[in-house]
Amino acid sequence: MGLQEERLAQIRAFMRTQEIDALVLRRVSSFAWATAGHRSYVNTASTDGIATLVITPDEQFVVTNTIEAPRLDQEEGLAAAGWKLRVAPWWKADDTVARLTAGRRVGADFAMSGAVDLSDAIAWQRSLLLPEEHERFRALGRICAEAMNAAIRSIAPGMSEYEIAAQLAYETERRGAQAIVNLIATDERIFKFRHPLPTDKRLNDYAMLVLCGRRDGLVCSITRLVRFGKLPDSLRVKADAVAQIDAAFILGTQPGRTLGDVFADGQAAYSATGFTDEWQYHHQGGPAAYEPRELIATPGAAQVVTAGQVYAWNPSIAGVKSEDTILVTESGVEVLTAIEGWPMQEVSVNGRSIARPAILEA
């Protein structure tokens, strides 16, 4: 059984648990998840795609228009994969979805009249990956790591944040992934903003590069920092602390534990390193798959970590951040975005250790 067949079986099992007999999916992430990695966007920033999926117990449909149908058929190969295309003129209102779901118990990944909004439950389902997706994630992790390494080692003082972002996008796209999140901060902006969109500010001696790369619908996240010149002691203290916190999150991500349990480990590490309240200024991450985070972990979250899920934790303290994407297995975690040759520091948590990235000193 191939990935597409396994995915449809997973979806139909989910439909039975939700007691629905039609599932309507419109989000770009849900489209990629349900079709085993295919693309339904034109604008890469779009949440909703240019096609809607309707899945019933024994059929699966792609509802789209005359603009998009040729590519979805010929390049995405959806008809060959068993999807039935339903095509309407782009200039007319279309009631195909309503007709396909008439008289059925319907669930959707958006607020749809007459349907149960299953957005949160579907997001969790997207995080329950199949073995072939693990291999795809490993390949994507290598791309993102190589792109980050090439980009960050190519920058120099005097470059603008726009130029740095262009380097990161170039190195990512040329390897076959999309830089759907490309955040750059230099110098004092790293201390001020947790989500720093690039500006025309020019680099003096300190830069942070943040990448979410997408391929086959899956998304890997990675952050790295570089300092030109000697790293100040005050910054090294923060870097050591955030590595310790990141290690607590990663090593705490074990099958059978709740996200709330893992979050509590991270909070304890923030306190132990002397930065008790810093977790309140930025989310800490969560399970990743067809969104950079399928959900954001919060204190007390009840969802249970499952072997085969992928997580991206991203603890931060003003001026520093640590972020990699990891695969959870029964025997431990596998870092998917490790960079060969990057300076690392070994961090111990309750007798277990893991290497975390240090700040590159150029």
Side-chain angles (χ1 to χ4, degrees), residues 18 20 23 105-110 112 114-119 122:
Q18 298 296 323
I20 60 172
L23 183 64
R105 298 166 298 177
V106 183
D109 67 348
F110 62 101
M112 173 184 170
V116 180
D117 187 344
L118 296 174
S119 302
I122 291 168

Side-chain angles (χ1 to χ4, degrees), residues 8 12 15-16 20-23 55-60 104-105:
L8 287 171
R12 288 181 170 121
M15 290 168 61
R16 289 191 291 273
I20 60 172
D21 48 18
L23 183 64
I55 302 170
T56 69
D58 53 6
E59 293 181 290
Q60 54 272 358
R104 295 181 180 272
R105 298 166 298 177

Side-chain angles (χ1 to χ4, degrees), residues 205-251:
D205 56 17
Y206 188 35
M208 178 175 72
L209 284 66
V210 181
L211 169 67
C212 293
R214 180 170 66 187
R215 184 177 183 179
D216 297 323
L218 300 170
V219 184
C220 261
S221 301
I222 179 174
T223 295
R224 292 294 187 270
L225 299 104
V226 59
R227 169 80 183 195
F228 295 88
K230 181 176 172 55
L231 194 67
D233 289 342
S234 60
L235 199 54
R236 193 177 301 278
V237 167
K238 287 187 172 183
D240 290 346
V242 82
Q244 187 73 39
I245 297 162
D246 197 18
F249 274 110
I250 292 174
L251 293 176

Side-chain angles (χ1 to χ4, degrees), residues 176-193:
Q178 292 178 317
I180 62 171
V181 175
N182 187 344
L183 303 178
I184 309 295
T186 58
D187 309 310
E188 70 278 0
R189 291 190 73 235
I190 305 174
F191 295 82
K192 290 181 178 180
F193 309 114

Side-chain angles (χ1 to χ4, degrees), residues 4-5 8 35 38 60 62 69-85:
Q4 178 67 95
E5 292 77 17
L8 287 171
T35 62
H38 292 293
Q60 54 272 358
V62 179
R71 187 187 64 81
L72 293 175
D73 181 18
Q74 297 169 34
E75 290 194 337
E76 299 295 333
L78 292 175
W83 293 86
K84 299 178 180 180
L85 270 66

Side-chain angles (χ1 to χ4, degrees), residues 66 98 109 202 227 287 289 301 340 351:
T66 49
D109 67 348
R202 296 192 175 275
R227 169 80 183 195
E340 185 176 353

Side-chain angles (χ1 to χ4, degrees), residues 10-258:
Q10 177 189 7
I11 289 172
R12 288 181 170 121
F14 167 72
M15 290 168 61
R16 289 191 291 273
T17 67
Q18 298 296 323
E19 298 183 336
I20 60 172
D21 48 18
L23 183 64
V24 181
L25 302 174
R26 182 172 291 174
R27 293 180 68 94
V28 168
S29 53
S30 295
F31 187 99
W33 168 66
T35 62
H38 292 293
R39 301 169 294 177
S40 67
Y41 54 82
V42 174
N43 178 347
T44 58
S46 296
T47 297
D48 293 338
I50 46 74
T52 300
L53 303 180
V54 178
I55 302 170
T56 69
D58 53 6
E59 293 181 290
Q60 54 272 358
F61 301 91
V62 179
V63 182
T64 190
N65 61 46
T66 49
I67 301 172
E68 311 303 337
R71 187 187 64 81
L72 293 175
D73 181 18
Q74 297 169 34
E75 290 194 337
E76 299 295 333
L78 292 175
W83 293 86
K84 299 178 180 180
L85 270 66
R86 295 293 181 265
V87 184
W90 64 263
W91 66 91
K92 289 184 178 181
D94 180 43
D95 66 350
T96 301
V97 172
R99 286 187 284 106
L100 290 173
T101 59
R104 295 181 180 272
R105 298 166 298 177
V106 183
D109 67 348
F110 62 101
M112 173 184 170
S113 178
V116 180
D117 187 344
L118 296 174
S119 302
D120 291 343
I122 291 168
W124 184 254
Q125 285 294 308
R126 290 195 302 258
S127 79
L128 303 178
L129 301 168
L130 298 168
E132 186 174 326
E133 289 167 309
H134 299 160
E135 293 307 312
R136 290 184 177 188
F137 247 126
R138 289 186 176 101
L140 176 59
R142 289 191 294 271
I143 286 173
C144 291
E146 291 170 3
M148 175 63 74
N149 194 37
I152 203 167
R153 292 181 186 275
S154 73
I155 67 175
M159 292 177 67
S160 74
E161 291 173 353
Y162 287 138
E163 291 174 303
I164 297 169
Q167 282 296 110
L168 185 55
Y170 167 72
E171 295 294 351
T172 305
E173 300 271 350
R174 70 187 288 260
R175 289 172 168 81
Q178 292 178 317
I180 62 171
V181 175
N182 187 344
L183 303 178
I184 309 295
T186 58
D187 309 310
E188 70 278 0
R189 291 190 73 235
I190 305 174
F191 295 82
K192 290 181 178 180
F193 309 114
R194 307 288 169 130
H195 282 161
L197 300 178
T199 71
D200 60 2
K201 183 196 174 301
R202 296 192 175 275
L203 166 63
N204 181 19
D205 56 17
Y206 188 35
M208 178 175 72
L209 284 66
V210 181
L211 169 67
C212 293
R214 180 170 66 187
R215 184 177 183 179
D216 297 323
L218 300 170
V219 184
C220 261
S221 301
I222 179 174
T223 295
R224 292 294 187 270
L225 299 104
V226 59
R227 169 80 183 195
F228 295 88
K230 181 176 172 55
L231 194 67
D233 289 342
S234 60
L235 199 54
R236 193 177 301 278
V237 167
K238 287 187 172 183
D240 290 346
V242 82
Q244 187 73 39
I245 297 162
D246 197 18
F249 274 110
I250 292 174
L251 293 176
T253 310
Q254 301 174 38
R257 303 190 76 215
T258 69

Side-chain angles (χ1 to χ4, degrees), residues 258-264 267 279-280 284 296-303:
T258 69
L259 296 192
D261 294 335
V262 182
F263 200 95
Q267 286 178 302
W279 69 269
Q280 300 179 31
Q284 304 303 299
I296 301 296
T298 53
Q303 292 87 351

